[in-house]
Amino acid sequence: MRKLSVILVFAGFTFFTSAWSQECTIGAAAGRATADGRPLLWKTRDYITEPDNKVRFVTNQGYRYLAVTNGGEATIPRMGVNEYGFAIIVSTSEDLSGGSLTGPGSGTLSKMALTTCKTVDEFQALLDQTNITGRTTRNNFGVIDTTGAAAIFETANYAYWRYNANDELNGYVLRTNFAFNGGGSGGIERYYRTVQLIGDFYSGDSLSHKSILRYQMRDFSDAYSQPVSIPYNGYWDGKPFGYIDNTKSICRNTTVSASVIQGTLPGERAAYTTMWTLLGQPATSIFIPYWPVAATPAESTGTLAELGDIANQIRALLYDLPSYDTYLDTYKLLDGSGKGLWTKTFPFEDNILTVVDAALNNWRQMPAIPVADIKYTEDTIAYKTYQYLLGCYDYLLSGMTPVESPESIAGDPLLRAEIYPNPFETEALLRYEVPVQSTVTIEIFTLTGAKIEGAVFSDMVPGEYTYTIAGSGLKFNSGLLIVRLNINGRSRYFKLIRR
């Protein structure tokens, strides 16, 4: 690969900048640095050859874990957290040396860590073990756990160097695609910019998952690490007015997903570690939460992974110059007069934050982990977010004239459904309406997420239908049930109590 090099000096280190195509921006912060005292781990993933990322919950490999994966990879995590609250992210460190051609690579090592490690110290023990056999890693691994530990490990083939966030002046460690123990630098422009942004958040006591998701992961800057305002009022490289080249930004043309993993306070359950994730290019998507307790929503992990798919379709509307995929139309994000994608997505995200803050505060008071309620929250947010993004796509496609998003259309057929009586003893009736020829799936789950009944009805013609839930046929005596009604891929959930 041809590299363009310029010598830069930073904090006593000499770097050589490089034009690399696949890069990431990562960070780890200890609780003492964050606004709420919980550790943070974050990554903006740049890997344009794998644009279709998914969020999966993997249960058959060891410790169960939640992960962002490539579309065709079922178990290889690119960032993730396991059921014990141990989380890991990774970026390439192109300047680390090493000659091993065997042993685990970055994805395999991340999987080994998520399936076997509960703490940062156990991850270090895994590195000690693989130091002996060798790795094909030239990476920076960021990790946090429920003890409050947060660190980044610069990891070569037979050696590693640990940087604890708590040992740093301000309590956090940042990297792009270089190692302080390497010989050059990758992504130095993004490194300078993230140092500035995270420093500003820290100084303002606002270093949080919210500030990283909203501002750091959607930051645009130039080749000199200087911020670019949105909208951009000028001509860049002779391109049409308002377009920018964002190949040097944290939010890049090659970015395909991003996550902020929000850890827990001492004494809080590991299940409440929250992986906030943007599927697709961050500027074109909406972040939603996931927890390492149950299967992820169909919109995040299904065949299409609709959340990423619609974000990629929106991306195509923003990067619309023929033969110039690195130039983004900033006026479609914000036009300065109250129009643009962000005027739609940011308020929706604010609502998600409010709902999740309330849910987490409630769950933390409960004597047991409410698995079904967590799954219901995940699924509902994912479904509503996808529907809303469909409306955002139509909004951009129409030239940013007001259009009604599917989320707000009155008379949504999924709203015309009810279940009664509730609570019930012997049987309950699910009454629903099919608006067009549809495939209908009805499933019943226990509070722990175990499926106890299901039925699929194909080619149902429009009309009203009733499904009987017979208590005598359920392998469940009493308590809370979750009923899922799915019509042509759109789901609605009901809480049903059996006496």
Side-chain angles (χ1 to χ4, degrees):
M1 182 183 296
R2 185 172 66 90
K3 292 182 278 185
L4 306 177
S5 299
V6 178
I7 296 177
L8 294 172
V9 177
F10 181 80
F13 293 87
T14 300
F15 297 120
F16 297 86
T17 64
S18 305
W20 298 88
S21 61
Q22 313 295 354
E23 303 177 336
C24 304
T25 304
I26 67 171
R32 70 177 178 88
T34 68
D36 68 357
R38 294 178 175 87
L40 293 172
L41 192 65
W42 64 94
K43 171 180 175 177
T44 302
R45 187 179 187 224
D46 300 321
Y47 201 71
I48 195 59
T49 55
E50 290 284 354
D52 300 316
N53 287 198
K54 298 184 179 184
V55 181
R56 305 178 189 269
F57 187 59
V58 182
T59 62
N60 60 350
Q61 305 289 309
Y63 298 160
R64 301 183 304 167
Y65 62 92
L66 185 68
V68 176
T69 71
N70 293 332
E73 296 176 343
T75 64
I76 300 298
R78 304 304 167 177
M79 44 253 202
V81 58
N82 69 20
E83 60 186 310
Y84 294 100
F86 171 83
I88 190 166
I89 58 173
V90 61
S91 73
T92 299
S93 185
E94 296 127 347
D95 54 352
L96 284 173
S97 61
S100 174
L101 297 179
T102 60
S106 61
T108 301
L109 188 68
S110 295
K111 178 179 175 179
M112 293 169 66
L114 287 173
T115 55
T116 63
C117 297
K118 297 181 181 180
T119 66
V120 173
D121 286 343
E122 288 183 2
F123 176 68
Q124 182 170 348
L126 177 62
L127 292 181
D128 287 333
Q129 173 188 342
T130 52
N131 268 354
I132 300 171
T133 57
R135 300 172 294 263
T136 58
T137 53
R138 299 170 68 185
N139 301 97
N140 301 314
F141 290 91
V143 286
I144 61 172
D145 63 27
T146 58
T147 73
I152 284 182
F153 290 80
E154 296 181 355
T155 310
N157 301 131
Y158 295 98
Y160 66 84
W161 299 265
R162 178 172 174 169
Y163 293 81
N164 292 314
N166 263 316
D167 294 339
E168 301 296 319
L169 177 63
N170 294 331
Y172 54 81
V173 187
L174 308 173
R175 289 292 185 273
T176 49
N177 304 104
F178 67 89
F180 284 104
N181 293 281
S185 83
I188 195 66
E189 304 89 354
R190 286 178 287 112
Y191 179 74
Y192 287 147
R193 184 62 186 143
T194 199
V195 165
Q196 180 65 56
L197 285 166
I198 300 301
D200 288 346
F201 298 156
Y202 173 79
S203 298
D205 196 26
S206 61
L207 178 54
S208 67
H209 61 289
K210 302 174 186 179
S211 59
I212 295 172
L213 287 162
R214 175 64 56 82
Y215 303 111
Q216 191 260 8
M217 289 180 164
R218 290 169 172 142
D219 184 75
F220 295 102
S221 56
D222 62 19
Y224 302 98
S225 307
Q226 297 302 304
V228 175
S229 61
I230 305 298
Y232 175 69
N233 296 311
Y235 296 92
W236 192 302
D237 296 338
K239 300 300 181 292
F241 186 83
Y243 283 77
I244 63 170
D245 182 330
N246 67 325
T247 56
K248 301 297 183 182
S249 301
I250 295 171
C251 185
R252 303 174 72 202
N253 62 303
T254 56
T255 305
V256 295
S257 59
S259 290
V260 179
I261 302 173
Q262 179 189 19
T264 58
L265 294 174
E268 291 180 344
R269 290 186 173 93
Y272 303 143
T273 303
T274 309
M275 189 171 81
W276 295 90
T277 299
L278 290 143
L279 289 179
Q281 213 273 0
T284 69
S285 189
I286 289 176
F287 56 73
I288 66 173
Y290 303 88
W291 293 275
V293 297
T296 49
E299 292 82 3
S300 308
T301 196
T303 303
L304 288 179
E306 288 94 342
L307 284 167
D309 182 64
I310 188 61
N312 288 337
Q313 292 181 53
I314 292 173
R315 181 196 184 281
L317 297 180
L318 269 65
Y319 291 84
D320 62 347
L321 292 182
S323 304
Y324 291 103
D325 191 53
T326 65
Y327 291 87
L328 176 147
D329 184 354
T330 62
Y331 272 76
K332 289 180 181 174
L333 294 177
L334 290 174
D335 73 350
S337 65
K339 294 182 180 180
L341 178 66
W342 285 354
T343 68
K344 303 294 184 182
T345 57
F346 285 6
F348 192 85
E349 288 178 338
D350 291 339
N351 290 334
I352 291 175
L353 290 168
T354 299
V355 168
V356 172
D357 283 347
L360 280 168
N361 288 334
N362 183 41
W363 298 338
R364 289 168 184 147
Q365 316 288 326
M366 293 184 176
I369 299 169
V371 175
D373 198 29
I374 292 173
K375 178 170 174 53
Y376 174 78
T377 301
E378 258 188 33
D379 288 350
T380 301
I381 291 175
Y383 164 70
K384 289 186 175 182
T385 299
Y386 172 59
Q387 295 297 316
Y388 190 79
L389 282 171
L390 286 174
C392 291
Y393 177 81
D394 289 341
Y395 170 71
L396 290 175
L397 197 63
S398 68
M400 296 191 297
T401 58
V403 293
E404 206 169 22
S405 75
E407 175 63 20
S408 62
I409 292 176
D412 186 325
L414 286 182
L415 297 181
R416 292 199 288 271
E418 60 180 342
I419 192 166
Y420 64 92
N422 191 8
F424 80 105
E425 293 183 5
T426 57
E427 68 177 31
L429 300 178
L430 172 63
R431 178 176 291 170
Y432 60 95
E433 180 177 334
V434 174
V436 296
Q437 186 166 345
S438 304
T439 296
V440 175
T441 303
I442 298 171
E443 297 170 298
I444 302 173
F445 302 89
T446 66
L447 186 64
T448 61
K451 181 177 173 181
I452 57 175
E453 184 173 307
V456 178
F457 306 97
S458 301
D459 299 324
M460 298 188 73
V461 299
E464 291 189 356
Y465 294 86
T466 299
Y467 179 82
T468 301
I469 300 170
S472 59
L474 297 177
K475 299 175 182 178
F476 186 82
N477 293 325
S478 63
L480 179 66
L481 300 170
I482 302 296
V483 180
R484 176 176 183 250
L485 169 66
N486 183 285
I487 302 177
N488 284 350
R490 302 174 63 187
S491 294
R492 183 178 177 188
Y493 293 81
F494 301 85
K495 293 181 181 179
L496 175 63
I497 297 174
R498 184 181 180 195
R499 296 185 192 279

